[in-house]
Every structure is written in structure tokens, then in C-alpha cells.
Amino acid sequence: MDHVVGPSGDMRSPLKHFTNAKKKINSIFSEIGKYIKEFSAFLESMEKGESGVELDKTLKEEVTQAYDQIFGIKEMLVRDHMKVVFFGRTSNGKSTVVNAMLHDRILPSGIGHTTSCFLSIEGTDDENDVGYILCGDSDERMSVESVMQLSHALSQESMSHDNLIQIFWPKKKCALLKDDVVLLDSPGIDVSSGLDDWIENYCMDADVFILVANAESTLMQTEKNFFHRVNSKLSKPNIFILNNRWDASASEPETMEQVRKQHMDRGIAFLADELKVIDKEQARNRVFFVSAKEVLHSRVKKANVPESPIYTDFMAEGFQARLLEFSNFEREFEECISQHATRTKFSSHTQRAEKVIDVMFKHAQWLHISASEMIKESEIRRAKLLDRLNEIDEQLSSISSKARGDITLVSTEAEKQVRSAMSDEIRRLPFLVDEFQRPFHPNPMVLRVYKTELYRHVQEGLGRNLTARCSSTLQKQIDLNKREMIDGVTPLLLIYPSNDQQQNKQPGNSLMTTTSSVAASHAPSFDISYDIECASLCSDFQEDIEFKFSLGVFQIIERLIGVKESRRMRLGGVVVDNPAIQHTNPSISHPGIPDNHEGVHSLPQPMAPQDLALSLASGYMNFTEAHSTAFIASIGMLPYVFWRSVGWRVLAFSGAAYCSLYLYERLTWTSRAKERALKRQFVEHATDKLNLIISFTSTNCSHQVQQELSGTFTRLCTDVDTTRTELMQEADELLEQIESLRKTQNRAKTLRNNAGWLGSELQAFTATFLGSATTSHEFEQHNGKI
């Protein structure tokens, strides 16, 4: 009851129908792949700025996804055969089923673990009637007989379970191989955990899967899990279930039908409910109960002695029904290939290709329409830009004249405020110095630290007070002037005037405004630097805190020659060897103080004798000019008169009083008194220095204000120049952009027409090979438009 297949080469064979369909759809998908590549290259050229159309971010992604889909389908279609894969647990009879379908004992079979690796069998037109095998990647042809040693699990030469042996069997010995059908036998799915690698390496291009189960048990979870993995990687695979070794049921005839129904129900539930690859009605024609061993024995016997009867001595009762069941399986298997496999395989791919082409058509149509709209918009914008350039030039000239006058007024006012505030703070300097409280000691090292902290205190206090009095007011004036500048210049930074802005405001219009005015309005606040370096100004300060008796010689000399000259004589000394002494203080370096200026309490320079004599003479002259000659003579005669009048006791008492006064002043000359003297001297010295830099400091602050405002206006003018440059560049670029847009428009039109042609090819393929028009009505409308 063997199933007879039509002669090889018959063009009416269902397998030939599949082969022709495969060649045609491969050709169509190759054209689609070229088309999508061309579309992708077109989009890349647009992204590089060769056109003015702004692309959607998802467009490139959709085109890339479409190419990946088409490329993936092409990889599945590139082969030139139908592939059938046999899977099942160890010793379920997979190899015996393949041998039975080939009508010969080609593959090793037996009890236990027999097949150690993957074995593929495909037809060959080689003149040699015995065929050959290839192992792995080797091109060396080997005898078919060696497959027993290379693939048998009990052989020492057997290959590992993830290797492949290709068996090329003469087509004239098997009708099934005449139409390029490949059968793939596999090791048991329970001998390795690398099932995902098996699927990736050997199952991705399979068209039909045959699960060989053991009828003496039931479908195991291992078998189910494997085909769940297959189903997750492939779209609705074609699966047959062969319950092999059904001859064992002959020993239990009373439960045979119940067992058959149980296996049938479980097989249908697995295919329809769990995997959901077919419905339950179709699943009934995918589950069979056979004995591959009986079929192989009968077919080998008939092939060797065609006229001899089949020996049935070892066959169980009902073997004729099992042979017929196997023939029915082969018939359904071939019907699946001829009627359903083509539609199942190519229909979904064709529909996916139609969706891809439909998307490409819409994208091309959108690009064509967008380019047309952009051409019209660019022409309108260019005319407005030229008008705007003339308007900006006229307004900028008027704004510049007003800004220069405002800057001069604010700078002058800043100078007045700083001068007045600084004069007031100099008058309040004694109070600021009195606020300084630090441990004091006349030791030179402690005194040096004390003065350093005093300088810092005065500097911080002056800066803090000037900032409180001037900075806030000046900052308000500066901010107000800046705001007026920004408000005046901001309208010039608009590409379109305010009355046209709303009309031209569009998403993606990057030249509507510039961001420079926003940056200028949010610039950090301007801080005025008063540049009062107290340590530098008072670096020549030299305190004089040595005890000086109020009625002493030096005090009398001080009244004659003055404080400066007295300090110079007392602290600097009198130098006879160097009469030409330079009165300079190289330690002071401030642009507001002359180099030859000497402070009230500066470090004294040595005094020459002639300078001392000149100072004494000058002091005496000043004293005599202020008093009459009789008064001076009377003062000179006063000791004599006093002596003659009161006697020596009074003089002794006066001497004692003089000594007591000296002792009192000497005892009260404490560290506190020295600190007060130092602060008083520092106030006199600092007041002299600060008065000299009032003009410099106020002028410097005025320059800072002027520079800040001028810099702000310069930046705004630069922004306006940038805007003008952008306007001119855009106006020049718009002409080139219009030409580029026209090229884009023409190329998009060509792509749209090509998409229509590919859609027509898919429609023709569907009508010829799938037997029904599955093309959407929307795509037909697109073709009508083209």
C-alpha cells in the first residue's frame, strides 16, 4: 500500500509549484531590498543637508526596520529546497522513520541511543548510484556506508551531537528527493541542553517539523518545551506528530482505542491549544499512529524482490492498517508541502512585504508633498527676509545714538556717588579703626600680625560700606540702562517684525528669533570693584609707640620743626656721610599716589645735618613770627626772675613736680596706651593716603560702569550683526535650497512610482501562487493614483 509519487520533472507536481513560487518571490524580495536600500540612501542624503525637508525621527527607524524585515525574509527564502526536520526523544525511532520514507536502510537505527549527530539527506543527480556524504565543512566525499561509523553513538568514530553529516542520495532511488526536499535527522532532544543552538543552527530554515513520539508513553515535557522554543523563534511552524511503535498496541487490543484517543487528544491539544499553530480540526490530520519498523521491513523487502510477498511472521496483528496509516501520513505530508506549505510560508511574507511597500509608498508620497510645500514656503520667506534687513539697519542707527548718551550720564553719576561716599567713609575712619579689637603687644612679631589684621579690617570695612552705599544704587541704574538697551535691541533680533511673527510661527522654524538677547538679559549682576588695597596703601606705615615725655627735648624740638621732621630726626637718625639722601619710598605701588609722596607716619629716612639745622632755623623763625620780641625776651628772663623771687626751695619743689609728672606719664604708658597711639597714627596715615586716591577710585568706578554698559551694548550690536548675517545667509541659501527641494521632489516621485510597481508584482504573485488576492484595498487605490 505504498504511496506512489509522480514522475520527476513533472511541472504539474505540487513540489514544482513550490519551487517556482520560491524563485519568483526571491526575485521580488531582491527588488524590494534594492528599493529600500535606495530609499535609505535617499534619507541619508537628506539628513546630510542636501534637502530642506525636515525628516521625522521615526522615519529613518521605520525604513531600517523594513530593511531588516525584508533581509530576514530573504535569508529564509534564499535556500533552494524544502526542509523537513525530525525531532524526538532518544530511541523513539526517528532514524527508522526516515529510512522508511527513503525506502532503504541508510541511517543507523536500533535500540538505545543510536544517532549521535545531525544527519541531512538530500537528492543528488550524480551518476554514481550509491551517493556520498560530507562531514562538517569538509569537501571530501566519503562513502555512504561510513555513515554508520560516523553517526552511530556506539562507534568510537562517532561525531558530537552538534555536528552535521550531509548525505547525498541518488534522486532516482527516492521519489521524495526528486523535487529538492531535504530530510534532517537529529539526536534525541534529551541528550543535550543546547537546544537553542540546535534551533539556531538547523531549524531556522525548516519548513516542516516531524515529532516522532513513543506510542508506549505519552508526550513528554521535554518534547513540548523544545517545540515551544521552536514556536517562539519561527512563525507558526508546520508540525506533524508520529506516534511510533504503535504495533505494541496489538498486545492489548481491549484498550487500544482508548489509548489511541488519549494520544490523539493530547496531540491535538498540544498543536492547537498550546502552540496555537493550527486549529483543532486541522490538528486531527497531523497526528498519526505508525510502526516505522514494519514499514521499513516491508519496503526494503519489496525493493529487493519486487514480486515476493511480504513476510509477516514477526509483525504484530493489524500491521496492514499501520502500513496504510504510514502511507496516509506520507500523503498528508506531501499535501502539506504542496497545498499548505507554500501558502503558509509565502502568504505571511507576502503580506508583510505589502505592508512594508505600503509604508514606503506613504513615506515617499509624504516627502513629495513636503518638498512641494517647502518650495513655496522658501520663496515667501526669502522676500520677507530682504525687507527685514532694510528695517533693521534704519532702527539700529537711532538706537545707537541714544545709547551713547545714556552711558555717559550713568558713568558721570557713578563717579559723583563714589567720590561723595568715599569722602564720608574717610571721615568715619577713626570709628572704623576703633571697632578693631585684637590682642595687642609691642613685640615686633605680634605687632606685625596685628597691623596685618588691622589693614584687612579697614579694607573690608571700607569695601563693605562703599558697597552698601553705592553698589545697590549703581546696580539699579545699570540694570535699568541695560533693560532699556535690551528692550530697544530685542525687536531687531527677530527675523520677522512683531506683527508678522504669529503668522510665520511654525514648528521647526529655527530662524524665528535668536537666543543672544535672552543670554544678555540673564547675564550675571555687575559688581563694582573699588580697588582699595589697604595693605598696599599703608605698606610704608611706621608706628612710633616709644615713650615720649611731654616736656622732653624731642617734644620741644617737634614743636619747632614739626611732626614729620621730628620723626625723621628721632627714628631715622642723622647721617653725616651721605648728605644727598633720596626721600623716596619704593615699597608703595599705587597708580593714585605719586612716587615721591611721603606719608605722615611713613618709615622715616635718615636726616642730614644741614637738613636738621635748616629745620631748626625754620622752626625758630616761625615761632618768632608768631610772637613778639618782648614776649620771647620775657620768657628767656623768666627763670632768672623766678630764681630771684622765690628762692631755691620753690625751684626744688618745681623740679620734684617735673620728675613726678615724668614718672606719672612713664607709668601710664601701658600696652593699651601704645595701642591707642598706634591706631591714632594709623588713622592719620591712612586718611592722608585715602584722600590721595579718592579721584582715582571714583574715576575707576566710572570707567567700570562705562565699560559694563558699553560692553553690553556692543554684545547686543554683535547679536544684531549676527542676525543680519543669518538673514543674508539664509536669503542666499534659500535659492540653493529651492533647487535641492526640486531634486528631492523628483526623487520622491520616482520612489513612490517604484513602490507602486513592486506592489503590483506582489499582487501578481498572490494571484498566481497563493490563489487569492490578499492585497489591501488601500494599496490598490495607491496603484490607481500612480
Side-chain angles (χ1 to χ4, degrees):
M1 300 294 295
D2 295 339
H3 175 56
V4 179
V5 182
S8 177
D10 187 0
M11 296 303 295
R12 295 174 297 176
S13 170
L15 299 181
K16 287 293 183 182
H17 177 78
F18 171 81
T19 302
N20 294 334
K22 180 183 59 184
K23 290 180 180 179
K24 179 61 178 178
I25 199 171
N26 270 325
S27 175
I28 294 175
F29 271 83
S30 296
E31 292 296 329
I32 294 176
K34 293 178 182 177
Y35 170 77
I36 296 178
K37 278 187 176 181
E38 182 182 358
F39 205 115
S40 179
F42 175 48
L43 294 181
E44 288 180 359
S45 66
M46 295 178 66
E47 288 180 345
K48 293 178 181 178
E50 297 180 6
S51 69
V53 179
E54 186 171 342
L55 298 177
D56 189 357
K57 294 181 179 179
T58 61
L59 179 57
K60 181 69 175 178
E61 296 178 359
E62 291 181 3
V63 174
T64 302
Q65 292 175 359
Y67 180 77
D68 293 340
Q69 292 179 8
I70 297 300
F71 182 79
I73 297 174
K74 282 180 63 181
E75 288 294 318
M76 298 178 63
L77 297 175
V78 72
R79 65 188 184 278
D80 55 357
H81 52 255
M82 276 287 288
K83 187 174 183 179
V84 185
V85 185
F86 295 81
F87 279 105
R89 290 186 296 116
T90 302
S91 193
N92 276 8
K94 300 182 294 298
S95 300
T96 305
V97 172
V98 175
N99 286 336
M101 295 179 70
L102 295 176
H103 295 244
D104 204 342
R105 299 181 187 275
I106 301 175
L107 305 183
S109 60
I111 63 174
H113 180 198
T114 305
T115 305
S116 64
C117 62
F118 282 87
L119 300 170
S120 70
I121 305 96
E122 59 183 290
T124 178
D125 295 323
D126 192 60
E127 296 180 356
N128 187 359
D129 291 341
V130 296
Y132 61 93
I133 67 173
L134 297 177
C135 295
D137 297 331
S138 175
D139 295 332
E140 181 183 359
R141 294 188 178 187
M142 303 174 64
S143 172
V144 174
E145 285 76 11
S146 60
V147 73
M148 294 296 180
Q149 289 77 29
L150 295 175
S151 63
H152 202 293
L154 300 178
S155 174
Q156 295 182 353
E157 300 178 6
S158 62
M159 302 180 68
S160 62
H161 57 79
D162 55 351
N163 288 337
L164 172 67
I165 297 178
Q166 294 176 280
I167 304 174
F168 295 88
W169 192 249
K171 290 182 178 180
K172 60 183 179 181
K173 288 188 176 184
C174 180
L176 188 62
L177 302 179
K178 291 181 180 179
D179 289 311
D180 296 328
V181 178
V182 176
L183 291 82
L184 180 67
D185 190 15
S186 65
I189 59 176
D190 51 354
V191 301
S192 173
S193 60
L195 300 181
D196 289 332
D197 294 335
W198 286 11
I199 296 173
E200 292 288 341
N201 296 333
Y202 301 111
C203 300
M204 295 304 293
D205 59 345
D207 299 294
V208 175
F209 291 85
I210 297 179
L211 170 58
V212 181
N214 188 352
E216 297 182 79
S217 63
T218 185
L219 284 179
M220 306 300 290
Q221 194 61 39
T222 303
E223 297 165 321
K224 290 184 177 182
N225 290 340
F226 175 78
F227 278 94
H228 274 295
R229 295 184 182 182
V230 172
N231 192 39
S232 67
K233 293 181 178 293
L234 297 177
S235 176
K236 293 186 177 182
N238 294 307
I239 302 175
F240 285 82
I241 299 178
L242 288 184
N243 292 285
N244 194 25
R245 298 180 181 175
W246 186 241
D247 53 328
S249 64
S251 61
E252 300 178 2
E254 65 279 1
T255 61
M256 180 176 65
E257 290 302 324
Q258 295 178 357
V259 174
R260 180 185 179 94
K261 184 178 183 303
Q262 183 187 60
H263 287 351
M264 177 64 74
D265 293 342
R266 291 180 178 179
I268 292 173
F270 177 59
L271 295 177
D273 296 335
E274 293 188 35
L275 297 181
K276 298 180 180 181
V277 293
I278 50 178
D279 57 32
K280 291 185 178 182
E281 191 64 30
Q282 292 174 326
R284 291 187 179 276
N285 297 324
R286 297 290 181 89
V287 182
F288 296 91
F289 299 83
V290 300
S291 173
K293 184 177 181 180
E294 293 178 343
V295 175
L296 176 60
H297 174 75
S298 64
R299 289 185 175 182
V300 170
K301 185 65 176 178
K302 187 173 182 178
N304 294 333
V305 185
E307 302 300 331
S308 65
I310 300 176
Y311 293 94
T312 60
D313 297 341
F314 74 95
M315 295 185 182
E317 184 180 352
F319 73 91
Q320 293 89 349
R322 290 188 290 274
L323 293 179
L324 180 60
E325 181 89 355
F326 195 87
S327 298
N328 292 336
F329 154 69
E330 290 180 316
R331 186 179 299 107
E332 287 295 332
F333 168 73
E334 189 169 329
E335 288 293 330
C336 176
I337 294 175
S338 60
Q339 296 181 8
H340 302 289
T342 301
R343 182 171 299 172
T344 302
K345 185 178 185 64
F346 298 144
S347 177
S348 61
H349 297 334
T350 303
Q351 292 176 6
R352 289 173 64 185
E354 287 176 351
K355 292 180 180 179
V356 169
I357 292 300
D358 185 55
V359 171
M360 294 296 101
F361 181 92
K362 291 179 180 179
H363 289 331
Q365 180 74 356
W366 178 81
L367 290 173
H368 181 269
I369 295 174
S370 299
S372 301
E373 293 176 351
M374 287 289 293
I375 291 174
K376 182 178 179 181
E377 180 184 352
S378 298
E379 293 175 345
I380 296 175
R381 288 181 64 189
R382 185 171 183 274
K384 290 186 177 182
L385 293 177
L386 295 177
D387 294 338
R388 182 61 176 157
L389 278 170
N390 295 331
E391 183 180 354
I392 289 175
D393 291 339
E394 295 175 358
Q395 293 182 6
L396 183 60
S397 176
S398 175
I399 293 173
S400 299
S401 177
K402 181 178 181 302
R404 286 191 292 269
D406 293 342
I407 292 173
T408 301
L409 290 176
V410 175
S411 301
T412 302
E413 181 64 23
E415 182 177 0
K416 292 179 181 179
Q417 291 184 20
V418 174
R419 183 184 296 273
S420 174
M422 195 167 180
S423 298
D424 293 342
E425 291 303 318
I426 292 174
R427 287 192 292 271
R428 294 183 66 255
L429 187 59
F431 301 100
L432 181 61
V433 173
D434 286 342
E435 293 174 359
F436 179 75
Q437 299 295 331
R438 292 290 188 278
F440 178 83
H441 193 277
N443 180 274
M445 294 184 63
V446 177
L447 196 60
R448 187 180 303 109
V449 175
Y450 181 89
K451 290 196 295 183
T452 301
E453 294 182 357
L454 176 61
Y455 297 158
R456 185 184 304 111
H457 169 75
V458 172
Q459 179 176 328
E460 292 176 355
L462 289 175
R464 182 172 59 253
N465 295 338
L466 290 176
T467 300
R469 293 189 58 176
C470 301
S471 295
S472 178
T473 303
L474 291 177
Q475 185 65 54
K476 291 180 180 179
Q477 294 177 353
I478 292 172
D479 290 342
L480 178 61
N481 198 269
K482 282 185 178 181
R483 174 53 56 189
E484 291 177 354
M485 291 180 184
I486 294 173
D487 292 342
V489 173
T490 298
L492 304 184
L493 301 178
L494 300 175
I495 298 301
Y496 298 103
S498 58
N499 57 344
D500 293 339
Q501 183 172 350
Q502 296 299 326
Q503 299 178 6
N504 294 276
K505 193 171 184 179
Q506 299 176 358
N509 188 355
S510 60
L511 291 177
M512 181 64 63
T513 60
T514 60
T515 59
S516 301
S517 61
V518 178
S521 63
H522 290 83
S525 299
F526 168 65
D527 294 329
I528 298 178
S529 174
Y530 297 98
D531 195 21
I532 300 177
E533 294 291 339
C534 188
S536 176
L537 287 173
C538 299
S539 60
D540 62 338
F541 171 66
Q542 178 61 50
E543 71 282 354
D544 183 8
I545 57 174
E546 296 295 330
F547 173 72
K548 296 184 291 295
F549 182 44
S550 58
L551 298 179
V553 178
F554 284 105
Q555 293 299 99
I556 296 174
I557 295 175
E558 181 177 324
R559 290 183 176 89
L560 290 175
I561 64 177
V563 176
K564 269 188 183 180
E565 298 298 331
S566 175
R567 282 172 53 86
R568 186 177 173 194
M569 180 190 70
R570 181 165 49 82
L571 299 179
V574 179
V575 179
V576 180
D577 298 335
N578 187 13
I581 299 175
Q582 299 294 328
H583 296 272
T584 60
N585 194 349
S587 61
I588 302 177
S589 178
H590 194 283
I593 299 179
D595 293 338
N596 59 351
H597 175 74
E598 184 176 349
V600 178
H601 294 278
S602 298
L603 182 65
Q605 300 291 332
M607 177 179 286
Q610 58 269 30
D611 291 339
L612 176 59
L614 181 62
S615 297
L616 290 173
S618 176
Y620 176 76
M621 294 298 296
N622 292 334
F623 184 78
T624 56
E625 288 178 1
H627 303 86
S628 64
T629 304
F631 176 76
I632 296 173
S634 63
I635 291 176
M637 295 295 294
L638 183 61
Y640 177 76
V641 173
F642 193 74
W643 168 267
R644 299 297 297 177
S645 301
V646 300
W648 64 269
R649 291 182 179 85
V650 175
L651 291 177
F653 177 78
S654 298
Y658 182 86
C659 292
S660 298
L661 179 62
Y662 174 85
L663 182 62
Y664 171 77
E665 290 186 3
R666 189 70 183 83
L667 292 175
T668 57
W669 189 247
T670 62
S671 295
R672 184 62 179 169
K674 294 178 181 180
E675 182 181 10
R676 288 196 300 270
L678 184 145
K679 287 184 176 180
R680 175 181 54 78
Q681 295 172 15
F682 174 75
V683 169
E684 294 173 355
H685 186 82
T687 300
D688 177 60
K689 297 290 185 180
L690 290 173
N691 282 323
L692 293 174
I693 66 170
I694 290 178
S695 177
F696 171 81
T697 303
S698 59
T699 303
N700 181 41
C701 292
S702 174
H703 288 167
Q704 293 180 49
V705 173
Q706 184 176 10
Q707 289 177 358
E708 174 66 15
L709 294 177
S710 299
T712 300
F713 187 71
T714 301
R715 289 193 295 272
L716 292 172
C717 291
T718 302
D719 295 339
V720 175
D721 291 339
T722 302
T723 302
R724 291 185 74 261
T725 302
E726 292 176 355
L727 291 172
M728 296 178 66
Q729 289 179 349
E730 186 185 6
D732 294 337
E733 291 172 357
L734 280 175
L735 288 177
E736 299 179 1
Q737 185 177 358
I738 291 172
E739 293 299 323
S740 177
L741 286 169
R742 288 188 177 132
K743 293 179 181 179
T744 301
Q745 182 185 39
N746 294 334
R747 195 169 180 185
K749 183 177 180 181
T750 301
L751 291 172
R752 183 191 62 182
N753 294 340
N754 289 343
W757 173 76
L758 290 171
S760 300
E761 288 292 303
L762 289 172
Q763 281 185 324
F765 175 83
T766 301
T768 302
F769 296 101
L770 302 182
S772 61
T774 59
T775 310
S776 65
H777 176 67
E778 181 181 359
F779 195 83
E780 292 177 357
Q781 291 179 344
H782 289 166
N783 290 337
K785 292 179 182 179
I786 296 175

